[in-house]
Amino acid sequence: MNHRLANVLGALSMFASAVVTNAQDADAAVRIMPPPGCGFIRLPQPVGELTARYFHCANSFILIKFHWSGGNTGTACIPPFYQHPFFRADGQEVVNAYYVSTPPNLTGPPDDLRCSLTQPRV
């Protein structure tokens, strides 16, 4: 199975399992379905601790920078056609995330690249 198909199937299974686990919540499916676009999307209402997602809609690895409500920042490597969830932590939420032109650190052979555990700070 190629990496892109595995990412898509993984994302679909996460959405499906979230719908099943929140069956009592009538509008849970609406809040967790993927949006029509790409990029940073805040959920209208949190689903548990999940508050936002970043949807990457291209066949490339990218680096994103994100901002917490308390002022801290971070970076994350995003694989092709992947979605990155953001969860509430210590009472703070990620309020924005966006692509930066700095290339991410990658590891692995050329036909099976993956994000490295450490990423550049920008």
Side-chain angles (χ1 to χ4, degrees):
M1 180 182 307
N2 72 31
H3 187 66
R4 182 171 144 191
L5 179 59
N7 281 338
V8 170
L9 292 175
L12 288 174
S13 68
M14 287 187 335
F15 288 127
S17 66
V19 171
V20 170
T21 58
N22 293 313
Q24 294 89 6
D25 191 357
D27 64 342
V30 173
R31 291 196 323 253
I32 62 173
M33 290 306 295
C38 304
F40 180 74
I41 307 292
R42 289 185 78 168
L43 298 178
Q45 295 179 350
V47 177
E49 297 298 305
L50 179 66
T51 59
R53 293 182 188 273
Y54 187 93
F55 291 89
H56 179 44
C57 302
N59 191 18
S60 60
F61 286 86
I62 63 168
L63 189 70
I64 63 169
K65 182 172 185 173
F66 53 90
H67 296 264
W68 290 93
S69 55
N72 292 330
T73 62
T75 57
C77 174
I78 310 294
F81 302 103
Y82 188 78
Q83 58 88 24
H84 182 82
F86 292 104
F87 298 93
R88 186 177 297 126
D90 298 325
Q92 295 187 33
E93 297 178 7
V94 170
V95 295
N96 193 13
Y98 49 91
Y99 164 82
V100 292
S101 59
T102 304
N105 294 333
L106 302 175
T107 188
D111 61 337
D112 191 23
L113 289 175
R114 300 176 188 276
C115 293
S116 295
L117 294 176
T118 59
Q119 293 299 324
R121 301 287 294 183
V122 292

